[in-house]
Amino acid sequence: MWRDALLVAGKDLRIEVRSRVATNQVAPFALLVLVLFAFALDPDRGVLTRAAAGLFWVAVLLSALLAVQRAQTVESAEGTGDALRLSGLDPAGIFLGKAGAVVVQLLALELLLGVGVVVLYGVDPSGWATLAATAVAATMGLAAAGTLYGALAAGSRVRETLLPLLLLPAVAPVLIAATRASEAALGTGGLDVASGDWLALLSVFAVVYVAFGVVAFGPLMEEQ
Amino acid sequence: MTTETSTSDIAEKDRSTGDPSGPGPIGPTSGGPLTLSLGLAAMVALGATLVLGLTLPATVEQGDYSRLIAIHPGVAWASYIAFGMTALASVLWLWPRTRSGHWDRVAGASAEIGVVFTALTLATGSIWGRATWGVWWVWDARLTLSALMLALYLGYLALRRVPASPDVRARRSAVTALLAVTVVPLNHFAVTWWRTLHQGRSMAQIDPGNDLDGAFIGAMLLGLLAMTLVYAWLLAQRVRVARLEDEAEEATLAQAIVERRREAAVV
């Protein structure tokens, strides 16, 4: 299973490196979202600094949608999905591999967005260890849920509109927990909340979705 | 839930002629006596809830709006049952031994009704909140989770509408339903875990010396019963309509095949 996961993840990442869609389209889009938030919320009033954690995670969520859709598009062209199904790879491995590739892309994107938030919103990145742990846990949950719902919506003609409707409510807990944990780390939260509980929630979410994906991905792949 | 025993004339005629080229047999097109009695019971219980709810005394703090206790917990409860039923039917579909199109239809029908009840919960809650809290909406854990639940099941219903073969659609829907149902217990216990603005679980508060008065508890319990009956009746009707839709589709297809064959025979 793990060997298959590495193979699939390597394949997806190689495609991204060669096609440069992630670097030329998804990353600029994410930065554009940050800039749009600054246009919408008056940058001089300190609103951006206080809301930075939430805005950061909304930008990540929107970019995650693109990344997941991209991971599905790769498998829909020229029967590559069928080839993957016939390859004899373990479906659980395929799921972990595709989710893993999304995790790598999103973590790189979060690093970029993090720099963007520090530079554009004037946030002081103290507590970076908590921030990093939050980012890893949240990204694993996002990628697992995204890959699972991506497979559910795959193959339908309306998948571009269906995926956000399915995925965004499902990952709303990630947005809430990641924002609270980041706020606690940055010291911008209104309440005196410890980030530990929220980190635990993020980990549980990630574990549940990874486990569910490992079990359910096989049957979902067979059908298409 | 399919309690129909009567058979329609059309179906009878098709079976009696035994014409293999005719459309397949169509099941009963109207509800049976059990569905009817369920509907009558639901109507009586609803009427009683209405009467009891309207005759409740107006409380000092909440005035007339306290009477919403006869409706609001009931519709919330019905939405939980509906989503629980969707999850149960999805498991029964996924389980190879009990797999049948029936459970897929039950899951879809129950989710539709659950969405209606969730929307009603949010609406009645908002009306009460405007009167008591002074705002239509607060970002409280239970309200947020209820809204999330509505969004999740709207997505589920959208997924069900995506054209696909019945098996594919049923499998996708079942997996999604099992993912979505996790929010239901979370929502139910949210008021206990997060100490929210929304008051605690009403059922856990029934004990002597509590400020929840006897008449209010009675109205609430009657509301729960009434909404459960309404849910069961709606489910029976919706599942029957879904089955008729499926059968009509099959019959149309069979008819079209027969016609094409006849054309081929003429040529």
Side-chain angles (χ1 to χ4, degrees), chain B residues 67-126:
Chain B
R67 291 174 185 138
L68 274 170
I69 197 176
I71 300 172
H72 181 69
V75 287
W77 163 253
S79 71
Y80 290 171
I81 301 184
F83 295 145
M85 189 64 185
T86 299
L88 181 69
S90 300
V91 169
L92 286 171
W93 190 90
L94 287 171
W95 193 255
R97 283 190 192 175
T98 48
R99 178 166 301 176
S100 86
H102 174 64
W103 293 121
D104 181 48
R105 289 192 287 268
V106 170
S110 196
E112 275 181 21
I113 302 165
V115 162
V116 172
F117 275 119
T118 310
L120 280 175
T121 309
L122 290 175
T124 52
S126 281

Side-chain angles (χ1 to χ4, degrees), chain B residues 51-232:
Chain B
V51 170
L52 192 63
L54 287 177
T55 53
L56 279 176
T59 58
V60 180
E61 304 93 16
Q62 303 173 7
D64 292 335
Y65 291 98
S66 59
R67 291 174 185 138
L68 274 170
I69 197 176
I71 300 172
H72 181 69
V75 287
W77 163 253
S79 71
Y80 290 171
I81 301 184
F83 295 145
M85 189 64 185
T86 299
L88 181 69
S90 300
V91 169
L92 286 171
W93 190 90
L94 287 171
W95 193 255
R97 283 190 192 175
T98 48
R99 178 166 301 176
S100 86
H102 174 64
W103 293 121
D104 181 48
R105 289 192 287 268
V106 170
S110 196
E112 275 181 21
I113 302 165
V115 162
V116 172
F117 275 119
T118 310
L120 280 175
T121 309
L122 290 175
T124 52
S126 281
I127 293 167
W128 184 87
R130 180 80 183 94
T132 313
W133 297 337
V135 285
W136 293 106
W137 186 265
V138 285
W139 290 102
D140 159 278
R142 178 166 262 189
L143 274 69
T144 311
L145 281 170
S146 298
L148 204 59
M149 193 162 83
L150 183 68
L152 277 173
Y153 280 94
L154 282 176
Y156 171 82
L157 290 181
L159 185 68
R160 288 193 69 89
R161 287 186 171 276
V162 172
S165 80
D167 249 28
V168 169
R169 196 186 56 190
R171 181 174 293 122
R172 277 181 193 169
S173 313
V175 170
T176 315
L178 290 185
L179 283 171
V181 80
T182 49
V183 81
V184 173
L186 205 62
N187 193 359
H188 186 62
F189 292 108
V191 282
T192 320
W193 292 343
W194 278 286
R195 266 189 247 118
T196 52
L197 181 58
H198 190 287
Q199 52 266 68
R201 288 178 291 140
S202 304
M203 299 299 284
Q205 288 180 5
I206 299 177
D207 56 0
N210 197 287
D211 59 345
L212 209 56
D213 185 59
F216 285 93
I217 294 173
M220 188 186 75
L221 291 178
L222 190 61
L224 290 181
L225 176 74
M227 292 309 165
T228 309
L229 287 170
V230 168
Y231 161 74

Side-chain angles (χ1 to χ4, degrees), chain A:
Chain A
M1 183 171 88
W2 297 108
R3 194 188 61 92
D4 295 353
L6 282 178
L7 275 174
V8 174
K11 169 194 77 88
D12 273 18
L13 288 173
R14 239 183 341 267
I15 292 175
E16 289 313 321
V17 168
R18 288 181 188 161
S19 69
R20 299 184 196 280
V21 170
T23 47
N24 289 0
Q25 290 172 24
V26 180
F29 168 78
L31 286 175
L32 186 64
V33 171
L34 281 192
V35 175
L36 286 178
F37 280 142
F39 291 161
L41 306 168
D42 192 350
D44 297 328
R45 298 268 176 81
V47 179
L48 280 177
T49 316
R50 265 177 287 141
L55 299 180
F56 172 83
W57 283 108
V58 169
V60 169
L61 216 60
L62 294 177
S63 317
L65 267 181
L66 292 187
V68 167
Q69 251 160 10
R70 172 83 191 133
Q72 289 301 322
T73 313
V74 165
E75 303 302 348
S76 66
E78 295 171 16
T80 45
D82 293 326
L84 195 62
R85 217 164 16 254
L86 293 172
S87 64
L89 293 177
D90 186 358
I94 296 177
F95 169 74
L96 290 174
K98 293 205 79 73
V102 174
V103 167
V104 172
Q105 293 174 51
L106 283 182
L107 281 177
L109 189 79
E110 281 162 23
L111 202 62
L112 180 71
L113 277 177
V115 173
V117 166
V118 169
V119 173
L120 296 174
Y121 295 0
V123 172
D124 176 30
S126 55
W128 58 270
T130 317
L131 287 179
T134 306
V136 170
T139 306
M140 283 172 68
L142 275 181
T147 308
L148 191 55
Y149 281 105
L152 279 166
S156 72
R157 268 165 294 175
V158 290
R159 66 169 180 269
E160 288 86 1
T161 43
L162 184 62
L163 184 64
L165 182 59
L166 287 174
L167 185 59
L168 290 179
V171 297
V174 173
L175 176 68
I176 296 170
T179 305
R180 294 292 170 275
S182 311
E183 278 178 351
L186 294 171
T188 53
L191 296 164
D192 189 25
V193 202
S195 54
D197 292 351
W198 294 110
L199 262 177
L201 182 64
L202 284 175
S203 312
V204 169
F205 186 94
V207 168
V208 166
Y209 265 94
V210 168
F212 205 96
V214 164
V215 175
F217 206 68
L220 286 177
M221 268 186 73
E222 280 167 23
E223 69 183 23
Q224 290 158 15

